[in-house]
Amino acid sequence: DVTVPTAAGAEDCSATYELALSALAPNDKCSGTALSNYKFGYFIDGVTADTVYAASSATKFSISLNVRPTAYTIAWVVADKAGNRTECENNVTIIDKTKPVITCPVDTAIKLVTACDSTIQLIAPKVEDNCSGDITFTYKIGSETAKPYSGPVAYKIGLGKTIVTWIAKDAAGNYSTECKRTYTVTDNQGLNFI
């Protein structure tokens, strides 16, 4: 069995599985071991309609397969020039190893006019991922413990800087890099004499 990860930064939900023809190690008494004496092919149930054969000049197979929860069973076919053929199988699992990417919102400046604090709405940032599926978020405010995000959160902040840190997780368990958004609250109220 073989596990193949998606490439780092992959833009789609697939990976390429490569197998050198020499790995199939053909050898019979009449045809010998030269790869040019054999015809190589593969069949994947539910993916290929028929056996796919390699070009006569090929030295390997490169098969693009989508991420899915179950393994692909690939039947490898080797035939000699007399038409004798043999098959073997292996299972290939394609797994998503590409991290989701957060688009971090710009920092925000808030000037207070009538109060000494402000209430902000914490809304999850935009995120992109190579595979479909649920994206979940955690957030933390300042040095607080991270919390799961389940929808907009009203949060009261006072004067100074407040940093909100977001992390996204995709359906395959890959975590994004942190996204930090800074809210800076300044006092813009005039002084009142009594």
Side-chain angles (χ1 to χ4, degrees), residues 14-38:
S14 67
T16 300
Y17 174 57
E18 294 187 343
L19 180 75
L21 301 184
S22 59
L24 297 173
N27 186 10
D28 72 17
K29 291 180 182 178
C30 296
S31 299
T33 59
L35 295 181
S36 59
N37 293 334
Y38 297 92

Side-chain angles (χ1 to χ4, degrees), residues 122 139-147 155-156 162-163 165:
L122 299 178
Y139 70 97
K140 72 176 185 172
I141 300 167
S143 59
E144 293 179 6
T145 303
K147 301 172 188 165
Y155 185 78
K156 190 175 278 193
T162 301
I163 298 173
T165 304

Side-chain angles (χ1 to χ4, degrees), residues 38-107:
Y38 297 92
K39 188 174 181 181
F40 297 88
Y42 68 88
F43 175 79
I44 306 171
D45 190 36
V47 176
T48 58
D50 203 352
T51 302
V52 177
Y53 287 98
S56 59
S57 60
T59 59
K60 67 180 178 180
F61 283 109
S62 292
I63 306 169
S64 181
L65 298 168
N66 292 325
V67 172
R68 71 178 194 188
T70 57
Y72 292 91
T73 300
I74 302 178
W76 300 103
V77 177
V78 179
D80 64 16
K81 291 184 177 182
N84 301 308
R85 59 185 272 157
T86 187
E87 293 183 14
C88 65
E89 291 184 349
N90 76 313
N91 294 320
V92 177
T93 303
I94 306 298
I95 57 172
D96 177 15
K97 285 292 188 183
T98 302
K99 297 177 180 182
V101 177
I102 292 179
T103 301
C104 211
V106 296
D107 293 343

